[in-house]
Amino acid sequence: LDAEQRRTWVRFLAVVELLPCVLDAQLRRDADLSHFEYMVLAMLSEAPDHILRMSALAQRTNSSLPRLSHVVKRLEQRAYVERFPCPEDGRATNARLTETGWVKVVETAPGHVTHVRSHVIDALTAAQVAQLGDIARDILERIDPTGNMAYEPVLRQPEGRERGNA
Amino acid sequence: LDAEQRRTWVRFLAVVELLPCVLDAQLRRDADLSHFEYMVLAMLSEAPDHILRMSALAQRTNSSLPRLSHVVKRLEQRAYVERFPCPEDGRATNARLTETGWVKVVETAPGHVTHVRSHVIDALTAAQVAQLGDIARDILERIDPTGNMAYEPVLRQPEGRERGNA
DNA sequence: GAAGATTGAGTATTCAATCTTC
DNA sequence: GAAGATTGAATACTCAATCTTC
């Protein structure tokens, strides 16, 4: 790493490590939700019928399946989400946003979007937003080639991997 | 958030959430160290006499003091770090990298740098690296709570930007 | 046997409370 | 009383193991 690359990396790392705290703090304070919990509710709220399979939800929230499973259990206890077996595939579980959960998202989203805008988007010019979009895409392609690396154990490397969700 | 801002935000969030796993996985596998533990050792290795006050170390590792305290305790048990009271200020604690810790960093750093390069830096053009450096700086200025967590490069590279150290 | 998901144990992090020194 | 740091309890995450269905 040359001097400029190093400077970029150090700063970028700081953002990567500080940003989750910033997002958590606002949501925790205003909605008693972690950012990850909010993501789960938000992704469900955008899905058809507010239903998503656990594995699809894990991809969309950039999380492992065990982590998601634990968190959904807590959200279920809070009555924001329900789980039921997938009719098409007995192995799969569907998660559905409840009416209560929907209300929660609708209440919470505006404040969160405002926070994201004021703390991240508005710090950048329009050109920088475009640049960051491209940069993030290029990095994602490296660190997450298949779009679903979340649950890839380091131990075993299956050679042909395929998965059928988009 | 308009459509482009939203697309950028979603991708950027994915990077922010996936990158720590990528860094942890390599270091855990190759050096039995979390990325945060590595950062602690690396920051000490760059400090004068390999010594830093706990609060300064917390700033440079983008961490809270309680988190750092717990981790340093574990690193102390592994003999990578020692703590001793700061002579100038009886309230403060200094952390020092041991010889063993130094050896560990020297062994670990090359592989880690290679990993960072191949998974992040090499995904970008030189222009994008420069853009990301500016973007990260601008976001940091917004989200850094106290303004003293932002950590500028260790290598003395006069760049016309300076930051006070409170 | 593999995919989808859950569970429990072990580990790490957060938060509030505490202690000491300035 | 405030700053620097540590501690313990509660919480959350990770990993391997497990269970069921395909």
Side-chain angles (χ1 to χ4, degrees), chain A:
Chain A
L1 265 54
D2 65 31
E4 172 164 42
Q5 291 173 336
R6 188 190 155 78
R7 196 168 50 234
T8 293
W9 175 243
V10 169
R11 284 187 195 151
F12 182 47
L13 212 42
V15 173
V16 165
E17 283 163 347
L18 258 21
L19 198 50
C21 309
V22 172
L23 301 177
D24 270 342
Q26 181 264 324
L27 285 164
R28 197 84 70 175
R29 171 168 51 80
D30 296 345
D32 192 29
L33 245 32
S34 71
H35 179 251
F36 182 65
E37 291 168 333
Y38 172 79
M39 284 277 281
V40 169
L41 302 184
M43 292 303 117
L44 285 175
S45 76
E46 289 170 357
D49 295 323
H50 294 177
I51 293 173
L52 238 30
R53 275 152 82 133
M54 290 294 283
S55 51
L57 191 50
Q59 288 181 204
R60 283 168 212 226
T61 55
N62 310 304
S63 114
S64 66
L65 218 26
R67 180 186 184 192
L68 179 65
S69 190
H70 281 129
V71 169
V72 166
K73 190 194 309 169
R74 286 172 231 144
L75 291 174
E76 206 167 19
Q77 288 161 0
R78 295 220 258 163
Y80 292 146
V81 171
E82 310 172 318
R83 276 181 293 190
F84 61 97
C86 175
E88 287 86 13
D89 186 336
R91 298 170 298 180
T93 302
N94 281 341
R96 173 171 44 211
L97 195 64
T98 65
E99 181 60 24
T100 306
W102 169 251
V103 169
K104 183 70 171 177
V105 176
V106 170
E107 286 176 352
T108 305
H112 179 60
V113 171
T114 297
H115 194 251
V116 169
R117 191 183 353 249
S118 69
H119 283 72
V120 181
I121 301 294
D122 285 352
L124 307 176
T125 66
Q128 284 179 314
V129 171
Q131 291 165 4
L132 182 56
D134 289 344
I135 288 168
R137 168 175 42 68
D138 294 343
I139 294 178
L140 271 184
E141 275 171 18
R142 281 292 172 109
I143 67 179
D144 189 10
T146 60
N148 62 15
M149 149 192 206
Y151 192 43
E152 269 276 296
V154 187
L155 311 167
R156 298 184 322 131
Q157 275 283 34
E159 28 221 287
R161 96 200 70 154
E162 55 181 351
R163 199 168 278 183
N165 217 320

Side-chain angles (χ1 to χ4, degrees), chain B residues 20-120:
Chain B
C21 310
V22 172
L23 300 177
D24 271 341
Q26 181 264 324
L27 286 164
R28 197 84 70 174
R29 173 168 50 81
D30 296 345
D32 192 28
L33 243 35
S34 71
H35 180 250
F36 181 65
E37 290 169 332
Y38 173 78
M39 285 277 282
V40 169
L41 302 183
M43 291 305 118
L44 284 174
S45 77
E46 289 169 355
D49 295 323
H50 294 177
I51 293 173
L52 239 28
R53 274 152 83 135
M54 290 295 283
S55 50
L57 190 50
Q59 288 179 203
R60 283 165 168 73
T61 56
N62 310 302
S63 117
S64 66
L65 217 28
R67 180 187 184 191
L68 179 65
S69 190
H70 283 129
V71 168
V72 166
K73 191 194 308 168
R74 286 172 234 143
L75 290 173
E76 207 167 20
Q77 288 160 0
R78 295 221 257 163
Y80 292 146
V81 170
E82 312 173 315
R83 278 182 292 190
F84 61 98
C86 175
E88 286 86 13
D89 186 339
R91 299 170 297 179
T93 303
N94 281 340
R96 173 171 44 210
L97 195 64
T98 63
E99 181 61 24
T100 306
W102 168 251
V103 170
K104 183 71 172 174
V105 175
V106 170
E107 286 176 349
T108 304
H112 179 60
V113 171
T114 296
H115 194 252
V116 169
R117 188 179 359 243
S118 69
H119 283 73
V120 181

